[in-house]
């Protein structure tokens, strides 16, 4: 039997949402260069909280990151330039029009070379599905 009381699923169009950004800064113990202001516009969160998506922007600077073992992030740079420094010393540059994935368990340095604006999708895997 179909439950007709449940609202239909709708497409989330970022341009249609008037979302106020949250503002934060890297933790002082993780700073490598500068103290960049970061803005996050959260446009979507799945009912389970396992998937979130939005827009993120940041000033120039760099900080150490350590992704949880259950968290992956896909991102596409709209404008600007970021460089991800891997723990082994290799660096990956991602510029406007390019996309990348930061895998679960990644550790390294996130550097904003030119002020950046990007779309992001974060997937947090439920440990019971592992």
């Amino acid at each position: 039997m179909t439950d007709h009381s449940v609202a239909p699923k709708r497409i989330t169009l970022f341009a249609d949402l008037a979302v106020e950004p949250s503002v934060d800064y890297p933790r002082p113990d993780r700073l490598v260069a500068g103290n960049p202001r970061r803005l996050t516009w959260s446009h979507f969160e799945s009912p389970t909280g396992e998937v979130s998506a939005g827009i993120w922007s940041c000033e120039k600077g760099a900080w150490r990151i350590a992704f949880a073992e259950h968290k992956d992030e896909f991102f596409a740079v709209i404008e600007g330039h970021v460089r991800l420094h891997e723990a082994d010393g290799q660096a990956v540059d991602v510029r406007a029009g390019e996309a990348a994935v930061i895998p679960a368990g990644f550790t390294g340095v996130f550097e904003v070379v030119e002020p950046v604006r990007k779309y992001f999708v974060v997937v947090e895997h439920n440990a019971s599905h592992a």
Side-chain angles (χ1 to χ4, degrees):
M1 178 174 217
T2 304
D3 180 2
H4 295 287
S5 66
V6 176
K9 302 295 182 192
R10 301 265 182 218
I11 299 296
T12 299
L13 182 63
F14 289 16
D16 285 350
L17 300 176
V19 175
E20 289 296 318
S22 62
V23 178
D24 75 325
Y25 296 83
R27 289 185 359 205
D29 62 317
R30 292 189 176 190
L31 281 175
V32 174
N35 188 24
R37 180 174 183 240
R38 306 181 297 193
L39 301 170
T40 304
W41 290 264
S42 297
H43 288 280
F44 173 83
E45 186 169 322
S46 66
T48 63
E50 292 178 327
V51 177
S52 60
I55 298 173
W56 183 85
S57 72
C58 186
E59 301 168 335
K60 289 173 64 171
W63 60 95
R64 287 182 293 284
I65 60 173
F67 266 45
E69 289 295 332
H70 63 278
K71 177 181 173 181
D72 294 299
E73 179 183 341
F74 164 84
F75 69 93
V77 175
I78 303 165
E79 58 188 42
H81 174 192
V82 299
R83 180 175 294 135
L84 292 149
H85 300 267
E86 299 181 358
D88 65 4
Q90 293 190 52
V92 175
D93 288 281
V94 188
R95 293 176 174 87
E98 298 178 329
V101 172
I102 302 173
F106 176 86
T107 59
V109 172
F110 193 99
E111 178 185 3
V112 177
V113 179
E114 297 171 8
V116 71
R117 189 171 174 87
K118 68 177 185 166
Y119 293 112
F120 70 87
V121 177
V122 173
V123 178
E124 296 197 38
H125 309 279
N126 185 329
S128 66
H129 294 152

